[in-house]
Amino acid sequence: MRVVSLVPSLTEAVTASVPGALVGATDWCTHPADLDVVRIGGTKNPKVDRIVGLAPDLVLANEEENREPDLAALRDAGLNVLVTEVRDVPQAFRELERVVAACGAPARPRWLDEAEAAWSRLPEPGTRRTAVVPVWRRPWMVLGRDTFAGDVLARLGIGNLYGTHPERYPKVPLQELRDSAPDLVVLPDEPYRFTADDGPEAFEGLPCALVSGRHLTWYGPSLTQAPHVLARALRAARR
């Protein structure tokens, strides 16, 4: 089995589940750190000719991260493209099981069992807080409706103030975000790399939690540690 992944989280999942199957991955596929495969460009601008040249049996994609014209070009070239859709944690587990099976995993990987167990034994949050969750600035964009990251946070007791917005990633003026008066501002380090010096200063007077984007938005082996890692970062939020 020869696999090309256009999704960083799926790259990590396949590498952990079917060693040696992956032959190509995007420039944004950073885990595992020692990944040694052909790089095929970005998630939004993959080099189709390079992918075709690798002669993969399967190309892994995601309906949100990858563009349909690129996927159509791969199909037109005769490649088999598996497209995932992940909008919440249970769906992530179902799609991950489908992906690793399609890639030739001989059995359900142990990390997937451990990740599902980690999320199933989460206690009911004692208190719930509201949050805005920027994912970009210049312009400011936040999590809106029907997102995997929004469901992750909800399971940790954080309600997304823009969770019912008509758009999934709405552009919202900064003053409106401030005026929404959230209990918390959640600032991940991807896709925009928010840091202690870049992000919290825009929300003076509001507690800000700097969180791992990989643990908030990736669906793969990182889900095993995500509840603990994110809960710790949310507790550490400071004004």
Side-chain angles (χ1 to χ4, degrees):
M1 173 67 71
R2 293 172 61 81
V3 179
V4 169
S5 172
L6 305 182
V7 186
S9 54
L10 296 182
T11 294
E12 185 176 19
V14 172
T15 304
S17 307
V18 195
L22 200 71
V23 295
T26 75
D27 299 339
W28 299 104
C29 293
T30 57
H31 287 73
D34 61 351
L35 182 65
D36 183 17
V37 297
V38 174
R39 299 294 176 162
I40 50 78
T43 57
K44 304 297 186 187
N45 56 346
K47 295 178 171 60
V48 172
D49 290 347
R50 186 175 297 177
I51 296 170
V52 173
L54 289 170
D57 301 298
L58 184 65
V59 178
L60 301 176
N62 175 263
E63 50 89 29
E64 179 176 295
E65 292 194 53
N66 308 119
R67 301 185 313 141
E68 179 53 37
D70 296 320
L71 304 184
L74 292 169
R75 294 189 188 97
D76 289 345
L79 299 184
N80 183 20
V81 181
L82 187 159
V83 182
T84 59
E85 179 181 312
V86 177
R87 302 294 177 88
D88 57 36
V89 173
Q91 190 177 27
F93 292 131
R94 293 194 298 271
E95 289 288 66
L96 285 165
E97 187 166 17
R98 182 167 74 103
V99 164
V100 297
C103 292
R108 197 173 194 265
R110 181 177 178 180
W111 66 261
L112 188 51
D113 290 333
E114 292 173 348
E116 197 157 11
W119 284 95
S120 66
R121 61 174 174 253
L122 277 180
E124 184 68 23
T127 59
R128 290 191 173 272
R129 292 180 286 173
T130 60
V132 295
V133 191
V135 293
W136 202 258
R137 67 183 301 177
R138 306 182 191 94
W140 286 93
M141 297 176 65
V142 299
L143 290 185
R145 64 169 179 83
D146 196 23
T147 65
F148 171 72
D151 186 59
V152 165
L153 290 172
R155 292 167 188 273
L156 297 172
I158 306 296
N160 177 13
L161 279 178
Y162 286 86
T164 58
H165 194 281
E167 298 178 25
R168 296 186 66 222
Y169 298 96
K171 297 177 183 177
V172 183
L174 178 58
Q175 191 58 52
E176 181 180 327
L177 296 179
R178 292 171 175 154
D179 292 344
S180 67
D183 298 320
L184 182 67
V185 179
V186 178
L187 298 170
D189 61 9
E190 63 174 79
Y192 186 91
R193 187 173 180 80
F194 289 105
T195 68
D197 300 319
D198 186 355
E201 82 290 342
F203 298 95
E204 186 175 356
L206 291 173
C208 291
L210 294 165
V211 304
S212 161
R214 174 170 167 259
H215 290 97
L216 179 62
T217 65
W218 287 32
Y219 42 93
S222 58
L223 283 170
T224 305
Q225 299 84 27
H228 172 71
V229 171
L230 292 171
R232 182 176 57 195
L234 293 168
R235 287 194 302 268
R238 296 180 179 179
R239 292 182 183 272

